[in-house]
Amino acid sequence: MKTTVFYGTLAAAGLAAGLASAATVDDVKANGVLKCGVTTGLVGFAAPDANGNWEGFDVAVCRAVAAAVLGDPQAVEFVPTTGKTRFTALASGEVDLLARNTTWTFSRDVDLKFTFVGVNYYDGQGFMVRKDLGVSSAKELDGATVCIQTGTTTELNLADYFRANNISYEPVPIETNAEAQQQYLAGACDVYTTDASGLAATRATFEDADAHTLLPEIISKEPLGPLVRHGDDQWADIARWTLNALITAEELGVTSTNLEEMAKGTNNPEVNRLLGTEGDLGAMIGLEADWAKNAIAAAGNYGEIFAANIGESTPIGLARGLNAQWTQGGLLYSPPFR
């Protein structure tokens, strides 16, 4: 009942906010800054560096949208949100866009009145344990204490998985990844469960990362992506096609290195349309002709962003896997720019 009331309240707030702010792009332009909701801190995805500058895979989405709309990837106000506060922040208008490793689900789309504009990371829920626990499978976790972030899909997935396998667990609720890390390392829980990418990112920050292992089970589909409020199709289009521009740029071989040269015109009409030297896609979406070029210039194409923040050469070390381009056996696919 508590969950239903919470969701119902959010749904009403989301609908009201959507109706009240039907031109988010105008608000962003008037403010001169994009208010982007991110996590409170998850290295590789969204976290401030030593100088307080936010960086990461989700941060790159925020900066790309700011560059597309305002021509300035630095024109972003990052708003840290927890699993509990993120939807209220978006529904209330505190943020214009939420880019916070959030799973696209039916209820969040339909009941909470949000629009997911795409998937920027195909993930799944996993488990991390200390190696000295002597466990090699999640099915050996009967009676374990499990750290789990409240207000997330992982709560429900965890309950379903343990019930289906007829094993018990004791939840240790936490609100942020930092709290989860602290509790897990302090021994308050035997297991930390969240998206597998989040576990890899968290383990990468440990002093002795090799003492911890990710169990082989992936127990859910977690399509993560940015989202906006219902009721503003133009804003949803801008966010959606900015993400698509980053994906398409990789597919077409447009990189941060060759961007300026290719923006002078190429023999590929789709590259020209993407970069604004042919056609009028910018005008159609209510932005300048070079909106996508600016978005790509912010931090590179999708592949460059992946490699720089969470790829195999980073401490997080994620392989492309399902997040490879469709031409490389992955699920990454953008509709055409025409």
Side-chain angles (χ1 to χ4, degrees):
M1 179 61 75
K2 184 178 179 181
T3 301
T4 303
V5 171
F6 173 69
Y7 272 30
T9 303
L10 269 180
L15 179 59
L19 293 173
S21 56
T24 307
V25 65
D26 293 336
D27 294 338
V28 172
K29 288 180 177 178
N31 295 331
V33 66
L34 171 73
K35 293 177 291 185
C36 202
V38 293
T39 178
T40 52
L42 180 61
V43 171
F45 285 86
D49 65 14
N51 297 317
N53 299 314
W54 284 84
E55 56 185 18
F57 187 71
D58 287 332
V59 165
V61 173
C62 302
R63 296 201 185 281
V65 173
V69 176
L70 301 169
D72 181 1
Q74 300 303 317
V76 184
E77 176 187 339
F78 291 99
V79 180
T81 62
T82 68
K84 279 186 174 180
T85 64
R86 57 184 163 177
F87 298 131
T88 302
L90 180 59
S92 68
E94 182 183 357
V95 300
D96 307 303
L97 171 73
L98 186 63
R100 186 199 177 281
N101 48 0
T102 296
T103 303
W104 187 348
T105 71
F106 181 98
S107 60
R108 290 169 177 175
D109 187 334
V110 175
D111 190 31
L112 299 188
K113 311 299 183 187
F114 296 131
T115 296
F116 284 80
V117 300
V119 176
N120 71 329
Y121 192 89
Y122 291 93
D123 211 339
Q125 183 174 341
F127 301 90
M128 178 168 63
V129 299
R130 285 174 289 277
K131 286 183 178 176
D132 60 13
L133 193 63
V135 171
S136 59
S137 166
K139 294 179 180 177
E140 300 170 9
L141 293 174
D142 190 23
T145 51
V146 183
C147 280
I148 185 165
Q149 291 191 52
T150 53
T152 66
T153 56
T154 54
E155 277 187 291
L156 304 176
N157 296 334
L158 181 69
D160 288 350
Y161 181 79
F162 275 68
R163 180 180 178 183
N165 287 282
N166 197 29
I167 52 180
S168 63
Y169 69 99
E170 180 182 343
V172 179
I174 46 92
E175 288 201 22
T176 67
N177 188 67
E179 183 184 356
Q181 179 175 328
Q182 181 184 36
Q183 294 283 57
Y184 171 79
L185 290 176
C189 53
D190 301 313
V191 188
Y192 179 30
T193 182
T194 187
D195 298 337
S197 64
L199 294 177
T202 300
R203 184 175 62 170
T205 66
F206 290 173
E207 186 175 341
D208 185 10
D210 290 339
H212 306 266
T213 188
L214 305 188
L215 298 178
E217 287 85 358
I218 299 295
I219 66 170
S220 67
K221 292 185 294 185
E222 304 292 338
L224 311 180
L227 56 152
V228 298
R229 292 177 290 275
H230 270 191
D232 188 346
D233 287 348
Q234 183 188 10
W235 183 241
D237 282 345
I238 289 171
R240 176 179 300 111
W241 285 96
T242 298
L243 176 59
N244 285 338
L246 302 179
I247 294 170
T248 294
E250 182 187 23
E251 179 184 343
L252 298 178
V254 180
T255 71
S256 56
T257 302
N258 64 23
L259 179 62
E260 291 299 331
E261 185 63 28
M262 297 188 85
K264 296 177 182 176
T266 73
N267 293 327
N268 186 327
E270 188 167 15
V271 170
N272 297 341
R273 289 192 293 270
L274 174 70
L275 300 182
T277 56
E278 184 176 322
D280 56 356
L281 299 187
M284 290 181 190
I285 205 170
L287 300 176
E288 300 295 327
D290 59 357
W291 66 279
K293 173 177 177 285
N294 290 337
I296 298 162
N301 65 34
Y302 179 93
E304 291 178 287
I305 293 169
F306 190 104
N309 293 289
I310 57 176
E312 291 181 287
S313 63
T314 70
I316 298 168
L318 295 175
R320 287 292 292 267
L322 294 177
N323 296 288
Q325 289 278 342
W326 67 286
T327 52
Q328 303 295 318
L331 297 178
L332 209 64
Y333 186 103
S334 165
F337 275 73
R338 71 165 55 252

